[in-house]
Amino acid sequence: YCLKKNNFLKNFFIFSLIFFSCVASYSNNLFKATSNNWFNKHQIDSEQLVLDGLMHANNNNVKSALGRYIRNNNDKKDYLNARIYFDKGNRNGIFQNYNSSYGLQVKIFNLFYSNGYKNISTYHYFSSILMALIVTLMSYVVKRDFSTISGILFSSIFIFSPWLIVFAKNLFWLPFTWCMPIFFSMYFAPYIFKSLKKYLYMIFFLYFSFLLKFLCGYEFITTIFISTLVPIIYYAILKKYSYSKIIK
């Protein structure tokens, strides 16, 4: 009993530390793994689609959708002011819809906006926390299948990766949607060849995680799909299943 309790406390401490380290890194660049300039400016143009979409929907009483206000055609870097415009409620210019995506992101954040939560940092924390949760869960699975050290090293890649840090809080990309299918694949992969029930669970969760990603956009989907296959193929080869069974 004492051993189980100690293991639980150790795991709770380790994975709580991973979670809060992720949140701090993604929301505030606490560890300075990337420059503050890049952290603050990267992909504001894509985030503008959400911010302007929120203002347009609530000002015109229409369904929330992605899009941007064309405010200053003479300044190619006007998008860098998107967060300032949002804070000031600036809706100058003509609103141009972005029709290449269903735009679930703006519909999610519209729930915050329409209920009085209009601080961009609130949205950034929301995105950062969800990404941190997925990374923590993935790290736990690595620990389950390999070792605690492996789980910690795995998480450190996500905590200190400059590219992930500058994307993690972004309101358009919502990178946690990239990793959800991979997490479910990692979690269920060791069991699906022996348990039909676990296989069906995996299919169920993969379906809805991919659906969530599609509703937020189709970008990077090929990479996400291939990454989702990797844990399944790895465990199948490890257990020496036939190639025909792996493909099936």
Side-chain angles (χ1 to χ4, degrees):
Y1 172 80
C2 291
L3 182 61
K4 287 183 178 180
K5 183 177 180 181
N6 288 337
N7 284 336
F8 171 80
L9 292 175
K10 183 180 77 170
N11 289 333
F12 181 80
F13 173 77
I14 290 172
F15 292 101
S16 293
L17 184 61
I18 289 173
F19 173 77
F20 287 111
S21 295
C22 286
V23 172
S25 185
Y26 302 155
S27 61
N28 294 302
N29 190 28
L30 180 67
F31 305 108
K32 306 302 178 186
T34 184
S35 69
N36 282 330
N37 183 59
W38 191 28
F39 178 76
N40 290 319
K41 292 183 178 180
H42 182 68
Q43 284 290 312
I44 294 182
D45 53 337
S46 61
E47 196 168 84
Q48 183 182 15
L49 295 171
V50 177
L51 298 176
D52 283 2
L54 288 173
M55 289 194 292
H56 177 71
N58 285 272
N59 182 58
N60 296 282
N61 197 27
V62 295
K63 289 184 178 180
S64 52
L66 294 169
R68 60 166 56 92
Y69 286 102
I70 308 301
R71 297 180 176 90
N72 188 350
N73 287 321
N74 296 322
D75 185 359
K76 293 182 178 179
K77 292 189 176 182
D78 187 55
Y79 67 86
L80 293 174
N81 298 313
R83 291 169 184 164
I84 298 174
Y85 290 148
F86 182 80
D87 286 336
K88 294 182 177 180
N90 185 322
R91 294 182 292 271
N92 295 334
I94 299 172
F95 185 79
Q96 186 178 75
N97 282 89
Y98 180 80
N99 297 316
S100 298
S101 171
Y102 174 74
L104 183 62
Q105 309 95 311
V106 73
K107 299 180 189 301
I108 292 173
F109 290 111
N110 190 53
L111 296 175
F112 289 86
Y113 191 93
S114 58
N115 283 286
Y117 297 96
K118 300 181 180 181
N119 193 320
I120 297 176
S121 63
T122 300
Y123 307 154
H124 284 164
Y125 273 113
F126 176 79
S127 180
S128 298
I129 287 170
L130 290 177
M131 185 62 199
L133 180 61
I134 289 294
V135 171
T136 303
L137 292 172
M138 292 170 70
S139 301
Y140 179 79
V141 174
V142 172
K143 180 262 180 189
R144 178 198 69 184
D145 295 342
F146 298 96
S147 68
T148 300
I149 295 297
S150 298
I152 293 172
L153 291 176
F154 177 86
S155 69
S156 67
I157 297 171
F158 289 83
I159 294 170
F160 299 108
S161 168
W163 275 103
L164 185 58
I165 290 170
V166 297
F167 268 106
K169 72 179 188 303
N170 189 278
L171 308 183
F172 176 81
W173 294 110
L174 294 182
F176 80 92
T177 61
W178 306 347
C179 296
M180 278 186 68
I182 302 169
F183 161 68
F184 288 121
S185 176
M186 291 172 63
Y187 181 82
F188 287 107
Y191 313 117
I192 60 173
F193 290 94
K194 294 182 179 180
S195 170
L196 176 62
K197 183 178 179 181
K198 293 289 180 66
Y199 172 74
L200 294 176
Y201 277 148
M202 184 186 75
I203 294 299
F204 175 83
F205 286 113
L206 283 181
Y207 174 82
F208 284 102
S209 57
F210 272 110
L211 179 61
L212 177 64
K213 173 66 186 83
F214 290 145
L215 291 175
C216 291
Y218 300 99
E219 296 86 356
F220 311 132
I221 198 60
T222 303
T223 301
I224 295 168
F225 176 71
I226 293 173
S227 300
T228 302
L229 296 180
V230 171
I232 298 170
I233 295 173
Y234 168 76
Y235 279 103
I237 293 175
L238 190 67
K239 298 297 183 180
K240 298 182 179 179
Y241 290 111
S242 65
Y243 290 119
S244 61
K245 193 167 187 179
I246 295 173
I247 292 171
K248 183 179 178 181

